[in-house]
Amino acid sequence: MTAELVRGQNHTLSQTRLEIRVSAGTPVMAGATLGDERGTVHGAEWVAHPGSPQLPGLEVSGQAAADHRLAVDLDALPPSVHRVTVLLALPMEAGGPDRFGAVPAPFVAVTGLGGTGIATFTLTGLDTESAVAALELYRRQGAWKVRAVGQGYAGGLAAMLADQGVPGAPELARSIKEAVARGMARSVAPPPPRTPQGDRVRHAGAGRQSPVPPQAAAPVDGRAPAGPIDYAHPRRGAAAPAPPSSSPPAAPPAEPGRPAQPVAGDAAGWSMEERLYNQVWGMFEDLARTTAAYRSAVDFAESRMDQELDRALADPRGRTGGAGDRAREEARAKRDGLTDRAQEALDRDLAQLAAESAVVEPALPAAYAGWDSPAWHAYRVPMEIPMAMRIGDLHLPESAGLRIPLLVRLPLERGIWIDSGRTASEAAALTDADRLRRLAMDHAVAHAARLLAVHPAGEFSVHVIDPAGSAAAALAPLVDSGALAPPAVAGTPWKPPAETGHPGPPAAPAPYPVAAGAGGVAAVLAHLTRRVDLVQMAIRAGAADALPPDLDTAQQLLIVNDFPYGFDDRAVTQLRYLADEGPSAGVHLLMVADRADAGAYGPVLDPLWRSLLRITPVADDHLADPWVGHAWTYEPLRTPPGSQVLQQVLARVAAARRTGRS
């Protein structure tokens, strides 16, 4: 029977191989320290954290996440270790919570490797603390016990480590925070918050948007149930009864003993668009959790086999002859049986998700759909901004054929960095460096085209910085269609030339709408930083309606190619400013760069790279989900070979801008 502990209570551990499962409802860092008989931690090498996740007998998560699974083998700990303290800390990222009193109470469960509950503890009563010692495993008179601690620290991670005697606690805390920040940079943003009834928050705002987009969506704030984390595939049924106009479509009745047939829009929401958005996120979470269950079961099967072999072969008399062979065969047979059952459960869940994907994908609107979708062939310039946009697909090794659309909220809450360098992926290794750079710029153009297409006419503008002019071929669809804003002149909003329809003297050729050279870089950056400054001043003064009449209120996207070529120190500072402050003022970055090219700047640019969502022009497994932290393979969206869909969509966007009609 699982013991439900309160602060200060202890419980004897009957097993030495354990899992410690954490459910926090918001991304947290989970770590652990190893202490001696007095609980003193003698150095950084006794601390497991995302930057150093493995110690003898202990493994923690490699990044901040809402859910964690820590592995502990008490028999494998060094003999000098008498205490293992599990630590939780908020990432303290910009815009995120800075105290545990503002988030759901974390829940911690100690289980056996098979998931059998041993003890649970809910960390209630926290307020200003940003770090907390959740529980400790300690050895007393040869026996191991677990104690619920719940000791919070308003001074954060540094204060908690110092309290345990860690030498150089502030420096170690800083290095841990840097490791957490690197992990957060590769993590897909969690879905938007839920209402108290569990529904997603309704997308705000139809019609023309303010130049100031909403704040970044907060993590899910629904508290996890009090009990071990359930990684079983949950069937997302219809939400609680809603008005008839917004109710999800009813699934056809299932045959006895068979799962219900999937239906597009089978999720909560105020509109079909929102229901599909929530359904895609539900599929994403389901695949993450069912894969976590499979991997955990396989690990348990391997661990159990190792334990049985150790016991069988502990006696030297059983290491040879028929008894030893039989013990090995029996242990392997049990391992294979457990693994087969785990594979059957995974296959069942994957089949259900594949069936759901097969009905959801054709129903997706253009903003959520791939370029091969009929939705783009019937494209019309929209009247309002959608709540999200697709920027690629995600998949896991266990389910390579099942692709989950990667949807990002609009307006963009962080910039995007398309890594044009050679990464560790197999696809990048097989691609020529020049080809990678061209693919990266093609990818950027496709994203810019999609952003233009999903916004109403005149509500999104694209600027391009190409200092050396190396991307002229890739930029041709944007340039030829007339969808780009010309090189910026501070204070002058771009207006497309009108088609007069009557003869007259030939018009002067329009300037090439791509900024080149150091002068072009400086002009565009000055124009956009001025815009951010004006919007921020208006917000601080409470006079958002008093912006200068020459300010273009459309959302702005800046594509930067070949960074840092053409950038001096002032331009680099302005670019960092736009990355940090731009999204709140309607200015967004789309960087195409190889980080190695900017190596001369050293750690100065680390905050810039971390502030951007990194994607790649070829398949690469660098993104992580916000629930269990799997490494997901990102696949960029591509137009069908020989298709003119990109050019056709851009032509309609440009025509709508010229006429001022959607």
Side-chain angles (χ1 to χ4, degrees):
M1 181 175 179
T2 303
E4 296 184 7
L5 306 181
V6 297
R7 187 175 279 106
Q9 187 178 3
N10 60 39
H11 182 73
T12 301
L13 294 172
S14 57
Q15 304 179 46
T16 58
R17 292 195 176 189
L18 308 168
E19 276 193 349
I20 299 175
R21 301 181 176 186
V22 178
S23 180
T26 189
V28 298
M29 185 281 292
T33 60
L34 304 181
D36 61 14
E37 289 179 325
R38 297 183 177 181
T40 302
V41 180
H42 290 279
E45 67 276 9
W46 286 41
V47 182
H49 57 83
S52 179
Q54 292 183 330
L55 295 178
L58 178 64
E59 183 175 359
V60 303
S61 303
Q63 69 173 59
D67 297 329
H68 293 273
R69 300 158 71 92
L70 285 63
V72 181
D73 185 350
L74 298 174
D75 290 337
L77 294 173
S80 57
V81 172
H82 289 259
R83 187 177 301 177
V84 180
T85 305
V86 176
L87 315 175
L88 304 178
L90 294 170
M92 306 297 284
E93 58 178 335
D98 59 359
R99 60 188 185 91
F100 274 106
V103 301
F107 173 81
V108 184
V110 180
T111 75
L113 290 183
T116 304
I118 298 173
T120 65
F121 175 43
T122 301
L123 284 76
T124 58
L126 298 175
D127 187 11
T128 61
E129 300 89 344
S130 59
V132 59
L135 55 77
E136 63 184 16
L137 313 176
Y138 64 98
R139 180 160 47 189
R140 182 71 53 81
Q141 298 178 348
W144 283 94
K145 297 183 178 182
V146 57
R147 177 187 289 122
V149 180
Q151 175 63 54
Y153 294 83
L157 193 58
M160 180 165 57
L161 294 173
D163 191 44
Q164 297 186 30
V166 180
E171 292 77 13
L172 178 58
R174 279 196 294 272
S175 69
I176 293 174
K177 289 179 181 178
E178 290 173 359
V180 171
R182 290 193 296 269
M184 294 292 287
R186 62 185 285 269
S187 179
V188 177
R194 297 179 186 271
T195 67
Q197 291 74 31
D199 296 342
R200 299 286 184 197
V201 171
R202 183 181 182 183
H203 177 56
R208 186 171 181 84
Q209 297 289 308
S210 160
V212 185
Q215 295 298 320
V220 174
D221 60 5
R223 186 185 175 283
I229 300 169
D230 181 9
Y231 287 97
H233 172 73
R235 173 61 186 165
R236 293 177 309 284
S245 60
S246 62
S247 297
E255 298 178 17
R258 304 188 66 178
Q261 295 300 307
V263 174
D266 186 12
W270 288 83
S271 64
M272 177 57 84
E273 178 195 6
E274 186 176 8
R275 293 198 295 270
L276 287 168
Y277 174 85
N278 290 337
Q279 188 169 15
V280 168
W281 267 102
M283 293 165 60
F284 186 12
E285 183 173 359
D286 286 354
L287 183 54
R289 293 189 183 279
T290 197
T291 303
Y294 168 75
R295 293 179 180 179
S296 178
V298 171
D299 290 344
F300 169 71
E302 294 288 346
S303 176
R304 178 174 172 175
M305 181 185 71
D306 292 342
Q307 285 181 310
E308 292 183 352
L309 288 176
D310 290 344
R311 286 196 298 268
L313 303 179
D315 185 351
R317 291 171 297 181
R319 296 175 187 171
T320 59
D325 292 339
R326 284 194 299 274
R328 294 185 185 92
E329 291 175 2
E330 290 174 1
R332 294 189 180 110
K334 290 179 181 178
R335 185 271 314 271
D336 293 343
L338 290 172
T339 302
D340 290 345
R341 287 199 295 273
Q343 186 66 56
E344 289 174 4
L346 177 67
D347 290 344
R348 181 185 65 245
D349 290 347
L350 292 182
Q352 187 175 349
L353 283 168
E356 189 170 12
S357 177
V359 298
V360 168
E361 188 72 42
L364 295 177
Y368 300 178
W371 287 112
D372 57 350
S373 169
W376 285 108
H377 296 286
Y379 167 75
R380 294 174 61 95
V381 177
M383 298 294 293
E384 61 181 53
I385 300 174
M387 64 188 302
M389 185 188 80
R390 188 173 184 166
I391 63 169
D393 292 330
L394 298 172
H395 64 85
L396 291 170
E398 291 85 352
S399 52
L402 179 58
R403 307 299 172 93
I404 303 296
L406 175 54
L407 304 179
V408 295
R409 295 278 287 183
L410 294 179
L412 293 173
E413 295 158 353
R414 62 192 292 200
I416 296 174
W417 163 32
I418 302 177
D419 190 349
S420 59
R422 188 173 297 283
T423 64
S425 73
E426 180 181 357
L430 297 175
T431 307
D432 177 77
D434 292 337
R435 173 68 174 161
L436 275 176
R437 292 179 182 271
R438 173 58 192 264
L439 287 174
M441 200 60 206
D442 289 342
H443 201 23
V445 168
H447 284 314
R450 184 175 286 249
L451 281 163
L452 284 165
V454 301
H455 282 77
E459 293 198 18
F460 199 86
S461 295
V462 177
H463 306 264
V464 180
I465 290 177
D466 184 23
S470 60
L475 289 168
L478 289 173
V479 174
D480 295 346
S481 68
L484 280 182
V489 178
T492 305
W494 175 69
K495 301 293 183 184
E499 296 183 354
T500 60
H502 59 79
Y512 184 64
V514 176
V521 171
V524 172
L525 292 177
H527 172 67
L528 293 177
T529 52
R530 171 183 179 268
R531 184 189 192 280
V532 173
D533 288 341
L534 290 174
V535 171
Q536 289 190 337
M537 285 189 291
I539 293 173
R540 284 194 294 268
D545 57 347
L547 293 167
D550 66 344
L551 184 82
D552 182 7
T553 58
Q555 298 282 312
Q556 310 286 314
L557 178 71
L558 173 60
I559 302 176
V560 179
N561 185 42
D562 279 347
F563 176 80
Y565 181 81
F567 281 72
D568 57 19
D569 289 345
R570 174 180 172 80
V572 169
T573 301
Q574 288 177 314
L575 191 69
R576 288 185 57 187
Y577 174 71
L578 291 178
D580 293 338
E581 305 295 335
S584 65
V587 177
H588 314 283
L589 283 185
L590 179 52
M591 298 269 292
V592 179
D594 180 354
R595 188 169 183 172
D597 293 343
Y601 287 93
V604 172
L605 289 181
D606 285 353
L608 172 65
W609 303 119
R610 287 200 297 263
S611 69
L612 306 173
L613 174 62
R614 175 177 170 260
I615 56 178
T616 51
V618 294
D620 190 270
D621 60 347
H622 65 281
L623 290 177
D625 65 79
W627 301 287
V628 292
H630 292 316
W632 292 73
T633 296
Y634 168 82
E635 292 274 2
L637 296 176
R638 304 198 186 283
T639 56
S643 171
Q644 295 294 307
V645 62
L646 203 66
Q647 290 80 356
Q648 293 168 1
V649 167
L650 285 172
R652 292 175 188 172
V653 169
R657 294 179 68 167
R658 285 193 299 269
T659 60
R661 296 192 305 269
S662 294

